[in-house]
Amino acid sequence: MFFYKELAEDWDVLNSLPKEEAGALEETIEDGIFQGCGQFATQLTNQLTDSFPEINNLAHYEINKIKEGISNSLFSGYLIYIAYQRIANIRRPKIRQGIQYIPTLMNEYNDIIAPYEKNNKNLSFNRLLDEEPALELLMEKVASIEMNILRKHYPHIDEIPFRIGHKVRELMGRGVFIGFGLGYAENSLRSINNIQDM
């Protein structure tokens, strides 16, 4: 079992990597992850505007700030998975393997996170979350951190109705979880590819 502090510190290190090290890390991230984060950020933002059409009355840059905050929460969730990998000594390949978001990564994500019927991958993922409560605790904390960053970059968010702000916070929490799930799915596909290559 991992300790929350250890995971949180590693996540923080990943968030503040110098440019050179951040570039080296980026070289290990599949293009499908970046595409997936973008697609999910759009999907979550659309959920917000569908639930509260009055959001469309905000200035364009204000809507973009909210979408940017949701997008950041997705990538932060992904970094939580990388922090977990590092602490659990799960090897990350140094180069990309060409895993695309659609259909490969998305199929794997759905199979693990939201399958129609439970399967071994889904059960393993849920077991990880059950056995490592520090992961879920960090996800909740990171969602709060991302919300605070959004407030800093877009102070007027406190002027929108509470129920809308609450929905933004909920979507950012979902974004962190989805980002973590994308990282898990990426690792699962890489593991499958490594077994097939042997």
Side-chain angles (χ1 to χ4, degrees), residues 9 27 38 54 71 85 98 119 123 127 145 152 184 186:
E9 283 174 351
E27 284 302 310
E54 60 268 36
S71 180
Q85 277 184 313
N119 58 55
L123 293 172
R127 196 175 313 114
I145 290 169
K152 182 180 174 187
Y184 189 95
E186 175 192 52

Side-chain angles (χ1 to χ4, degrees), residues 17 42 71 86 108 110 130 139 144 151 156-157 176 196:
L17 286 175
T42 299
S71 180
R86 286 161 47 122
E108 188 72 3
N110 285 335
D130 287 344
M139 286 184 218
S144 293
R151 278 193 188 99
H156 296 300
I157 195 163
V176 171
Q196 288 172 347

